[in-house]
């Protein structure tokens, strides 16, 4: 199916690895023109080297940017819009998890977590809005986590921040609908990225990786019995960006294998 993304300008934050990089790849394969950023210039350039060679400067623009720096984000978004000939979509993907329980957290932990999560959505969205408003198929996708709805005690700051971003996304969907800008969320479960292979190696469990992954998934209540892949997330993101999803806004799509831990 043609998703109608050919020639569309899409900006993806956090494009140097994982879900962000998979989304960049998929959008380029659909014919979109893509801009992406990351905090580490070398890692970003290295991750995108093959794509830059294949698709060229006309279809891929990248630059280092910290999403917490509103001034830097404004400059990056405006450069991206100029290079791509406008913006039709935005994927707010930058973020990380903080593994701490309540007694381990400090006031600084809470400030840092909330700043990263909310700046990572608000700064790019506010910067991109003037460009998105001129598109006939504007879409924002916020990458979130099932933690927003199924919190975990050892991720208390991240769970709380994720819940706030889910609420913010719903509010943005309502407020920006009149401007023709759709806003949706994709909530991730356990996605098989480098962190999990490193954890498997550190566990030294004496079993192969698929078996270890299946046992871990069972303990975590994942109905499908495995981790997801970055490409599976990217497909959901790309679909929501598509003009074919023009009647979808304010939605939250779980890409989490049916995980359920007995919470709401």
């Amino acid at each position: 199916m043609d998703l109608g993304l050919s020639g569309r300008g899409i900006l993806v934050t956090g494009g140097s690895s994982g879900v962000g990089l998979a989304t960049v790849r998929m959008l380029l394969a659909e014919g979109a023109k893509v801009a992406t950023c990351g905090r580490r210039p070398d890692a970003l350039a290295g991750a995108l080297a093959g794509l830059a060679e294949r698709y060229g400067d006309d279809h891929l623009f990248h630059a280092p940017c910290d999403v917490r720096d509103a001034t830097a984000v404004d400059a990056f978004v405006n450069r991206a819009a100029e290079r791509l000939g406008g913006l039709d979509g935005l994927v707010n993907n930058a973020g990380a998890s903080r593994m701490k329980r309540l007694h381990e957290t400090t006031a600084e932990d809470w400030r840092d977590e909330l700043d990263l999560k909310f700046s990572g959505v608000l700064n790019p969205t506010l910067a991109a809005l003037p460009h998105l408003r001129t598109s006939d198929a504007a879409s924002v996708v916020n990458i979130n986590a099932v933690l927003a709805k199924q919190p975990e005690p050892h991720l208390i700051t991240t769970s709380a921040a994720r819940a706030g971003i889910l609420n913010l996304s719903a509010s943005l969907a309502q407020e920006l609908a009149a401007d023709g800008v759709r806003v949706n969320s994709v909530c991730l479960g356990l996605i098989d990225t480098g962190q999990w292979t490193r954890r498997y190696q550190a566990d030294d469990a004496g079993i192969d990786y698929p078996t270890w992954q299946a046992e871990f998934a069972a303990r975590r209540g994942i109905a499908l019995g495995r981790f997801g892949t970055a490409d599976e997330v990217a497909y959901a993101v790309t679909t929501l960006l598509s003009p074919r999803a023009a009647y979808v806004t304010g939605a939250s799509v779980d890409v989490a294998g049916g995980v359920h831990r007995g919470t709401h």
Side-chain angles (χ1 to χ4, degrees):
M1 177 186 292
D2 181 3
L3 293 177
L5 290 168
S6 181
R8 298 278 183 180
I10 312 291
L11 191 152
V12 180
T13 64
S16 60
S17 63
V19 169
L21 181 56
T23 301
V24 169
R25 287 197 189 105
M26 196 165 291
L27 287 168
L28 288 168
E30 288 292 324
K33 296 182 290 185
V34 182
T36 191
C37 63
R39 284 188 295 171
R40 296 176 297 155
D42 292 344
L44 183 67
L48 298 173
L51 295 173
E53 183 177 346
R54 178 177 178 182
Y55 291 99
D57 293 342
D58 290 342
H59 276 75
L60 180 60
F61 167 68
H62 63 87
C65 183
D66 187 334
V67 293
R68 293 170 295 186
D69 184 338
T71 301
V73 170
D74 281 343
F76 171 69
V77 169
N78 289 330
R79 285 177 63 202
E82 182 179 358
R83 290 285 296 271
L84 303 184
L87 290 179
D88 300 286
L90 168 66
V91 181
N92 289 314
N93 170 65
S97 295
R98 187 184 301 266
M99 295 188 68
K100 287 189 176 182
R101 292 179 176 269
L102 178 62
H103 69 277
E104 299 170 316
T105 60
T106 65
E108 187 65 21
D109 288 330
W110 284 99
R111 283 192 292 269
D112 285 349
E113 187 72 20
L114 294 171
D115 181 32
L116 175 59
K117 295 299 185 294
F118 280 88
S119 294
V121 171
L122 288 170
N123 286 342
T125 301
L126 291 172
L129 265 178
H131 306 287
L132 293 173
R133 287 188 176 114
T134 67
S135 170
D136 63 352
S139 176
V140 176
V141 178
N142 293 326
I143 306 301
N144 207 324
V146 291
L147 291 172
K149 295 172 280 188
Q150 299 186 35
E152 296 191 38
H154 67 285
L155 289 160
I156 189 167
T157 59
T158 300
S159 296
R162 292 294 191 190
I165 291 301
L166 191 61
N167 187 287
L168 173 63
S169 297
S171 296
L172 289 172
Q174 291 291 319
E175 182 155 344
L176 300 181
D179 293 326
V181 180
R182 297 183 296 109
V183 182
N184 294 289
S185 299
V186 173
C187 292
L188 315 188
L190 298 186
I191 305 303
D192 190 4
T193 57
Q195 63 174 323
W196 292 109
T197 53
R198 290 192 294 271
R199 183 163 176 175
Y200 162 71
Q201 292 163 354
D203 276 359
D204 194 21
I207 55 178
D208 61 28
Y209 183 56
T211 302
W212 178 88
Q213 186 185 111
E215 291 180 357
F216 195 97
R219 293 196 301 272
R220 297 294 288 271
I222 300 173
L224 291 183
R226 64 173 178 85
F227 294 1
T229 68
D231 281 346
E232 287 170 327
V233 180
Y235 178 76
V237 174
T238 302
T239 301
L240 287 171
L241 289 168
S242 168
R244 292 187 177 274
Y247 201 52
V248 182
T249 194
S252 171
V253 178
D254 289 358
V255 183
V259 65
H260 181 70
R261 292 186 290 269
T263 57
H264 296 293

